[in-house]
């Protein structure tokens, strides 16, 4: 079985605040200062736009021992949040391999939240990504959201809120986190990670700066270029889908699927006539050249196929065969 990319750490420390989260941070800081933080917060983020970062920032704000400069980043409270060792902070993620947050985890969380805070202040929980809560876990969580213990802050980080029951959504205040413009993302990546070809990384991963900050930039660009080249070739009937699928299914498959999905969505956007996006990001070399081959319907079918395979990666499917079938559908005639 090919190695999986582990889920990104929910609280990866990044010293440089993302500039595009400024107004959300100001809103939350004001609510906290006024004692008006809700019990349930839904951090609805564009993929890789900073939901986890904002959740961690708010936890630091709540636990910081220097209220005047909170979060100061220097006190014990801030330090414990940064190192994920704060006794009153619980971060819930899918258990390894399962890709789901299970009911036992929610039961443990509810029991923990019912206890008095060690530091006599808030109890904070971050559930991320919350769209991996399975049905039973979501139902169990609803009970806690309906009758939250006092001074409890539950943050749910999601990219697809529609996967959560409406009953959960209605009990959370929603914070919308949009992806930054390309130049803003690049400026932040340079400030926090140093000089790399971030434009090429974002061409590969999509507008997901937080994701880009966690990867080996050069390796991603290389994989991205290879995937693009191969897909271009496939749309003209070139290449060898069997050999490609066999090789890709063994190395970096999740990243390659993300590249394929991004390649397809770029074309869908271009077909939709929304090409201002391309002018801005300078992705002109990837503009569709084979409109007659892949029309809108086929593009959407392919995106569905790729997403289906992504969500089935933890099941015992034959990845090579599934990928081969997708690659074949890029070719003229789509055999
Ligand atoms: Zn502090």
């Amino acid at each position: 079985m090919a190695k999986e990319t582990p889920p990104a750490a929910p609280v990866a420390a990044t010293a440089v605040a993302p500039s595009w989260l400024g107004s959300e941070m100001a809103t939350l800081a004001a609510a906290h200062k006024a004692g008006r933080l809700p019990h349930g917060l839904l951090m609805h983020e564009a993929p890789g736009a900073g939901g986890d970062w904002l959740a961690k920032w708010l936890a630091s704000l709540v636990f910081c021992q220097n209220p005047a400069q909170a979060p100061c980043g220097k006190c014990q409270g801030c330090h414990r949040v940064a190192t994920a060792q704060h006794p009153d902070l619980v971060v819930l993620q899918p258990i390894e391999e399962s890709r789901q947050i299970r009911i036992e985890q929610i039961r443990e969380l509810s029991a923990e939240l019912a206890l008095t805070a060690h530091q006599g202040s808030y109890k904070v929980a971050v559930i991320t990504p919350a769209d991996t809560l399975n049905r039973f876990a979501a139902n169990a969580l609803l009970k806690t959201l309906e009758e939250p213990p006092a001074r409890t802050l539950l943050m749910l980080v999601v990219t697809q809120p529609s996967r959560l029951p409406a009953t959960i959504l209605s009990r959370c205040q929603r914070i919308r986190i949009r992806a930054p413009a390309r130049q803003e993302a690049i400026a932040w990546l340079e400030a926090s990670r140093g000089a790399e070809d971030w434009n090429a990384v974002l061409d590969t991963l999509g507008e997901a700066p937080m994701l880009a900050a966690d990867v080996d930039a050069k390796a991603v660009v290389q994989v991205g270029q290879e995937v693009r080249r191969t897909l271009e070739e496939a749309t003209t009937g070139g290449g060898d889908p069997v050999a490609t699928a066999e090789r890709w299914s063994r190395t970096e498959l999740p990243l390659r699927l993300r590249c394929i999905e991004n390649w397809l969505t770029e074309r869908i956007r271009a077909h939709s006539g929304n090409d201002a996006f391309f002018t801005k990001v300078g992705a002109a070399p990837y503009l569709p050249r084979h409109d007659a081959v892949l029309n809108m319907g086929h593009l959407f079918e392919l995106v569905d196929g790729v997403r289906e395979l992504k969500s089935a990666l933890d099941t015992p499917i034959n990845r090579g065969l599934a990928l081969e079938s997708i690659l074949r559908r890029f070719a003229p005639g789509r055999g």
Side-chain angles (χ1 to χ4, degrees), residues 64-66 71-75 78:
C64 181
Q65 290 149 340
N66 294 319
C72 71
K74 293 171 194 143
C75 70
C78 287

Side-chain angles (χ1 to χ4, degrees), residues 33-325:
K33 200 173 173 190
R36 286 188 290 102
L37 274 184
H39 289 297
L41 260 179
L42 189 82
M43 307 282 196
H44 176 192
E45 63 162 2
D52 286 324
W53 189 94
L54 191 63
K56 180 191 176 186
W57 177 87
L58 183 55
S60 304
L61 181 77
V62 166
F63 292 129
C64 181
Q65 290 149 340
N66 294 319
Q69 298 125 43
C72 71
K74 293 171 194 143
C75 70
Q76 192 191 47
C78 287
H79 182 70
R80 282 179 163 173
V81 172
T83 53
Q85 285 172 342
H86 199 289
D88 294 320
L89 172 66
V90 181
V91 178
L92 220 58
Q93 285 184 278
I95 293 176
E96 252 179 274
E97 297 290 319
S98 86
R99 290 177 187 251
Q100 282 193 344
I101 294 176
R102 297 177 184 281
I103 188 166
E104 302 79 37
Q105 292 173 273
I106 296 297
R107 286 195 180 129
E108 273 176 37
L109 172 69
S110 304
E112 176 64 34
L113 293 177
L115 302 172
T116 310
H118 291 81
Q119 314 271 316
S121 139
Y122 269 88
K123 288 283 227 187
V124 178
V126 180
I127 303 181
T128 181
D131 28 22
T132 59
L133 283 163
N134 72 22
R135 191 157 50 90
F136 307 106
N139 279 336
L141 179 66
L142 187 58
K143 289 195 187 121
T144 302
L145 275 171
E146 278 169 345
E147 293 168 29
R151 292 171 83 71
T152 297
L153 173 60
L154 265 166
M155 291 185 262
L156 281 65
V157 182
V158 294
T159 53
Q160 289 178 276
S162 58
R163 287 195 182 176
L164 289 171
T167 42
I168 289 213
L169 301 179
S170 69
R171 280 172 178 80
C172 295
Q173 192 172 313
R174 190 179 299 215
I175 301 272
R176 190 77 176 87
I177 301 166
R178 291 183 171 76
R182 178 65 67 100
Q183 284 314 320
E184 193 171 10
I186 290 175
W188 178 78
L189 283 162
E190 278 173 355
S192 51
R193 286 283 312 273
E196 289 286 354
D197 189 354
W198 295 116
N199 200 41
V201 173
L202 295 174
D203 274 347
T204 304
L205 297 178
E207 309 305 308
M210 291 291 170
L211 195 64
D214 269 348
V215 300
D216 175 340
K218 291 184 179 64
V220 163
V221 170
Q222 208 172 19
V223 168
Q225 281 167 349
E226 191 212 338
V227 168
R228 285 174 186 283
R229 204 168 45 236
T230 306
L231 296 183
E232 291 281 347
E233 209 178 28
T235 57
T236 58
D240 179 349
V242 180
T244 304
E246 159 64 11
R247 196 161 47 80
W248 286 8
S249 63
R250 279 185 285 110
T251 58
E252 303 281 9
L253 182 57
L255 171 62
R256 290 179 198 277
L257 290 176
R258 189 173 171 94
C259 296
I260 299 174
E261 189 182 346
N262 190 41
W263 186 92
L264 290 165
T265 48
E266 273 177 11
R267 283 173 176 242
I268 289 171
R269 284 204 198 100
H271 273 267
S272 317
N274 184 11
D275 50 2
F277 173 77
F278 291 93
T279 317
K280 198 157 73 188
V281 303
Y286 309 121
L287 279 171
R289 292 202 301 261
H290 310 287
D291 290 5
V293 176
L294 285 172
N295 66 27
M296 205 66 154
H298 294 125
L299 289 169
F300 276 112
E301 267 173 39
L302 280 162
V303 169
D304 284 347
V306 171
R307 287 183 182 161
E308 208 173 299
L309 178 54
K310 269 168 81 182
S311 64
L313 284 179
D314 56 334
T315 65
I317 52 154
N318 185 323
R319 298 159 178 226
L321 273 184
L323 186 58
E324 183 192 324
S325 131

